[in-house]
Amino acid sequence: MNPATDTEAREVPDLRLAGLAVAAWLAALAGLHLTAAATATVAAVAGGLATLLGLHLCGLLGRPAVPVRRLGWIAVAVLLGVVCGATVTAARVAVRDAAPVRALVQERPLVTVELVVRDDPRPIRGVAGRPATVLLRADLLRLTDSTGRQVAGSVRGLVLASDPAWRTLLPGQRATARGRLMAPRGGDLTAAVLSATGSPTLHGPPPWVQQAAGALRAGLQRACEPLPDEPGGLLPGLVVGDTSRLPPAVEEDFQTTGMTHLNAVSGSNVAIVVGAVLLLARWARAGPRTAAALCVVALVGFVILVRPSPSVVRAAAMGAIGLAALAAGRSRAALPALAAAVTVLVLVDPELAGDPGFTLSVCATAGLLLLAPGWRDGLRRRGVPAGLAEALAVPAAAQLACGPVIAGLSGTVSLVAVPANLLVVPAVAPATVLGVLAAVASPVWPAGAEFAAWLASWPAWWLVTVARQGARLPAGTLPWPGGVTGALLLAALSVALLLATRRPLLRRLVAVGAVAAVLGALPVRLLAAGWPPAGWVVVACAVGQGDAVVLPVSAGRAVVVDAGPDPAGVDGCLRRLGVREVPLLVVSHFHADHVGGIAGVFRGRRVADVVTPQWAEPPYGVSQVRAAARDGGAALRAVPAGWRWRAGGAELAVLGPPYPLRGSRSDPNNNSLVLAATVAGVRILLPGDAETEEQRALLESLPPGGVRADVLKVAHHGSAYQDPEFLAAVRPAVALVCVGADNDYGHPNPGLLDRLTRAGARVLRTDTDGDVAAVRDGSGLAVVARGVGPGRRGGR
């Protein structure tokens, strides 16, 4: 064999176990959405086919041809993967769907639950009038209802709790709680959701490993307290996945630029830490066995630091495989190891098959093993220095491999992800290593830990800067079909491009075509289809299940009506619109889906005045608005019907409520401020969450034509509580519905949408259209939709 042929043979990836791993993975994923009986049937059929095909290949049922034999053994491996994945998942699904647990979920009695915490408590947004709750993953060991009926046996569950005592629990801790069971959303191994009442009763301390991890993580947070908010909040997320202090604006910037993987523990964290130990061992001229032992100690210690949860164990496995391939330079040996690790992890925990983090880790590791070495060597043959070739190949390969998954999850394709990840490569390793040193030193040398954290804040600042600037680039992301369809479409396109670039002529054509597409599309996207559209008079922001509406006043200045359920959503919308100053912020009422994001309006902007309704309920929302106004230095006042405001090209008048409404279906909703705005001659009606009672009161109190408008922001997310006479009196040309994707309230009501459409209104929805704008187009109105991103749930 000549050298060229030998080199080519060595470069062929070893995919012998890939079929087994992918089949087990997909079978487990399908089994999570099927019944145990259906999944077991799939396993039985696959097992029978594998047996028959194996007998045929062994010559017991005839002698197959050599090519058929090779393909046949691949098919046998795939069928065995289906058998393994389906069998294990069927057994776990049978436990999940056990009749006794299902009966408790359906009957919803008050139950006492003995449980073991599986992961750190995670804060989630609360409902209006109540503080934020926490979400815990737990193993439910014993359930006892009020009649004494018991269900024993470990099943997976989620715990929703608002008592502060739940926030201090650590993984591995045993406790008893009371509450009611609810049905899970499906698609995983969760058998029930416990809505806990009161605080948990603890049974002993958590395991020493978790106590050690908790002490180190708390020490890292203390070391980061003197740092500025952005690098100080990012560093714990970068090192141990703790994003509790990460500002929402930074989190959104990382999502936009494709750098979210840096905020979660992944294989790259493991590779950085263990790689640093390996370099130190080599510098000290330690032998291979000593270096390997030190790396194992570092790996175990890092897993303890970041908590040995299933996601961390998965990240450690992926990172160890990538490190082994990097150290040995043998991608052929690493690929079977990756496939074996995927198979084992899926069989041990089939729920990983549906975990996006697991999918991204596997894809990134596969990209580094399959694509990065060839791209690196190709760049080096063309004269690129070795270090730069590695820095270019690694993020490009990881992004290409993960791109289809990210596109399917987000509905967008980032154009800045590869450049942004390339720019932060030099900063990730120093920040991670210094952060780990700060955590390790914190219990014994707090001053040294603070110094290490201060040093780590500089590379962390660079990460924040790159994310912020990348997120602000126009046309940094392109809309793309979401879900499985979008993921498969981008995967097929990526494979086609990879195959095309293997031939020099096609490679040149692809390069020329890509450059032409960018040069041709970007000016059109930046100039012709930019955001905001020219002549816009109102924008309804896609903030999930909540309201946030923007009215332009002048360049960089706008009135904001409501703030949505979370700060990141409204802040992102205002940044996209270029709003730097808010002369007036209007709060229609105090429910969480209208005021939960109020801090995002103040983020980096001057807010002059905040006006609210006179109906000061619920108290939690009222206190949230008062605190935001106080901290932001804005004047705050409650205004009655008849109040007016004017600045620049915008004029507002409060139409209602004409009088306080009590005893209605929802008094806070029915005492919403109802605004009539005029922008560039276009009349816009913003009724907050006014329902039937307030709508009728407006018709009775205002003169004929008093609610007539060109644009209607549909009340209460398009709920069914609308007065037909009110809608007929408004008679809008454009109806904007602020609503969250897949919400639990049935919003918007199909009958309402049909009524508006039949009346001649053009209806746009933020859940399907993204940010939506009404535009003054000559003497008429036009509508522009920016495109939808990731769906959000929640709110009222």
Side-chain angles (χ1 to χ4, degrees):
M1 181 180 291
N2 59 49
T5 306
D6 184 53
T7 301
E8 183 178 356
R10 286 198 303 269
E11 292 178 351
V12 175
D14 186 349
L15 300 175
R16 287 176 293 179
L17 295 180
L20 175 71
V22 173
W25 187 353
L26 295 179
L29 179 60
L32 293 174
H33 297 272
L34 300 174
T35 63
T39 308
T41 301
V42 171
V45 172
L49 292 175
T51 302
L52 292 175
L53 186 55
L55 293 174
H56 178 57
L57 295 174
C58 292
L60 298 178
L61 301 178
R63 292 185 173 275
V66 174
V68 173
R69 185 177 301 173
R70 292 175 179 173
L71 293 175
W73 286 118
I74 295 175
V76 169
V78 170
L79 290 171
L80 289 177
V82 173
V83 171
C84 295
T87 302
V88 171
T89 308
R92 304 293 288 273
V93 169
V95 174
R96 179 196 70 184
D97 296 339
V101 178
R102 276 194 166 188
L104 290 177
V105 170
Q106 293 172 356
E107 297 169 10
R108 297 200 63 187
L110 189 65
V111 296
T112 301
V113 182
E114 297 179 23
L115 57 87
V116 177
V117 179
R118 299 183 66 238
D119 211 342
D120 289 292
R122 217 164 25 93
I124 59 175
R125 187 172 59 249
V127 300
R130 294 172 57 188
T133 58
V134 294
L135 173 71
L136 299 90
R137 298 185 181 275
D139 289 326
L140 311 181
L141 305 181
R142 187 185 302 274
L143 301 99
T144 307
D145 66 7
S146 55
T147 65
R149 178 179 48 169
Q150 288 190 353
V151 177
S154 177
V155 295
R156 292 191 181 180
L158 295 176
V159 180
L160 292 171
S162 57
D163 192 285
W166 287 93
R167 306 186 184 198
T168 62
L169 299 188
L170 295 177
Q173 198 155 17
R174 298 177 67 94
T176 299
R178 290 175 60 81
R180 298 186 187 275
L181 296 179
M182 300 181 294
R185 65 178 184 180
D188 54 25
L189 295 178
T190 302
V193 179
L194 174 68
S195 179
T197 58
S199 59
T201 301
L202 305 182
H203 303 294
W208 70 267
V209 172
Q210 301 293 357
Q211 293 185 60
L216 294 177
R217 291 161 71 95
L220 177 60
Q221 285 285 8
R222 287 193 300 272
C224 293
E225 283 180 357
L227 302 177
D229 289 342
E230 292 182 339
L234 174 64
L235 195 57
L238 185 70
V239 176
V240 297
D242 183 359
T243 58
S244 58
R245 282 186 55 203
L246 184 65
V250 176
E251 187 174 5
E252 183 178 338
D253 290 342
F254 271 59
Q255 290 175 349
T256 303
T257 52
M259 295 165 54
T260 309
H261 60 93
L262 298 177
N263 294 336
V265 177
S266 65
S268 61
N269 300 72
V270 178
I272 288 171
V273 173
V274 181
V277 174
L278 182 62
L279 289 176
L280 288 175
R282 289 180 175 177
W283 177 76
R285 298 186 178 183
R289 294 184 178 179
T290 303
L294 291 174
C295 288
V296 170
V297 171
L299 180 61
V300 173
F302 184 73
V303 170
I304 292 175
L305 171 64
V306 299
R307 298 271 169 80
S309 62
S311 60
V312 173
V313 174
R314 174 258 301 165
M318 298 298 108
I321 292 167
L323 183 64
L326 183 64
R330 298 179 60 189
S331 60
R332 281 179 57 84
L335 282 169
L338 173 62
V342 169
T343 305
V344 172
L345 288 171
V346 168
L347 296 183
V348 170
D349 186 4
E351 195 173 65
L352 287 175
D355 181 10
F358 177 76
T359 305
L360 289 172
S361 287
V362 174
C363 290
T365 306
L368 295 180
L369 297 179
L370 285 170
L371 303 176
W375 292 359
R376 175 199 60 202
D377 296 341
L379 291 172
R380 293 181 63 181
R381 286 195 297 268
R382 288 165 175 78
V384 179
L388 180 58
E390 187 86 32
L392 289 170
V394 168
Q399 184 63 31
L400 182 67
C402 296
V405 180
I406 297 173
L409 293 173
S410 67
T412 59
V413 174
S414 175
L415 299 181
V416 300
V418 172
N421 281 279
L422 176 61
L423 288 172
V424 301
V425 164
V428 174
T432 302
V433 173
L434 289 169
V436 171
L437 291 176
V440 173
S442 61
V444 294
W445 190 19
E450 289 188 6
F451 179 70
W454 177 80
L455 290 176
S457 70
W458 290 99
W461 169 85
W462 175 246
L463 296 176
V464 172
T465 301
V466 170
R468 180 187 299 119
Q469 298 305 321
R472 291 179 178 177
L473 287 176
T477 58
L478 298 177
W480 191 265
V484 177
T485 302
L488 293 178
L489 179 61
L490 186 57
L493 182 61
S494 301
V495 172
L497 290 176
L498 286 175
L499 295 177
T501 54
R502 296 178 68 88
R503 298 182 179 275
L505 177 60
L506 291 177
R507 183 164 57 242
R508 295 189 186 97
L509 290 175
V510 169
V512 171
V515 172
V518 171
L519 295 179
L522 283 184
V524 173
R525 183 170 172 82
L526 294 175
L527 300 178
W531 190 262
W536 67 285
V537 295
V538 59
V539 165
C541 300
V543 293
Q545 182 71 0
D547 272 19
V549 178
V550 186
L551 305 168
V553 173
S554 58
R557 302 174 71 234
V559 173
V560 178
V561 181
D562 290 327
D566 66 85
V570 67
D571 177 48
C573 180
L574 294 176
R575 283 196 289 145
R576 292 190 291 271
L577 294 171
V579 175
R580 300 181 298 276
E581 183 179 348
V582 179
L584 179 67
L585 169 61
V586 180
V587 174
S588 69
H589 63 296
F590 295 102
H591 276 157
D593 54 341
H594 291 251
V595 302
I598 192 169
V601 181
F602 285 84
R603 186 175 296 152
R605 300 175 190 87
R606 178 180 176 272
V607 180
D609 292 297
V610 180
V611 299
T612 69
Q614 296 178 319
W615 188 272
E617 289 184 7
Y620 180 70
V622 175
S623 62
Q624 198 171 5
V625 172
R626 288 175 178 170
R630 180 184 64 249
D631 296 341
L636 175 67
R637 54 178 165 166
V639 296
W643 180 83
R644 291 181 176 273
W645 182 92
R646 183 173 185 175
E651 182 178 353
L652 275 74
V654 176
L655 302 183
Y659 48 82
L661 291 164
R662 293 180 173 85
S664 65
R665 200 192 73 89
S666 171
D667 287 348
N669 284 349
N670 282 307
N671 285 279
S672 294
L673 287 182
V674 177
L675 301 176
T678 303
V679 180
V682 178
R683 186 170 168 87
I684 305 157
L685 187 65
L686 306 173
D689 276 1
E691 297 181 352
T692 307
E693 294 90 338
E694 186 174 5
Q695 293 175 10
R696 289 176 181 169
L698 288 169
L699 291 179
E700 295 169 356
S701 304
L702 295 174
V707 297
R708 176 75 178 91
D710 304 299
V711 179
L712 170 67
K713 194 287 300 182
V714 180
H716 200 188
H717 323 297
S719 77
Y721 300 103
Q722 313 280 341
D723 187 291
E725 295 182 7
F726 177 81
L727 297 175
V730 178
R731 205 167 68 255
V734 174
L736 307 178
V737 185
C738 297
V739 64
D742 301 325
N743 64 84
D744 299 325
Y745 308 98
H747 299 162
N749 179 264
L752 171 67
L753 300 184
D754 182 62
R755 177 186 296 274
L756 290 167
T757 302
R758 284 189 284 106
R762 174 71 186 276
V763 180
L764 286 90
R765 303 164 42 171
T766 58
D767 60 337
T768 56
D769 300 314
D771 295 346
V772 291
V775 177
R776 180 67 182 266
D777 184 16
S779 59
L781 276 176
V783 292
V784 179
R786 182 176 177 271
V788 68
R792 297 170 183 257
R793 298 172 63 94
R796 289 181 66 89

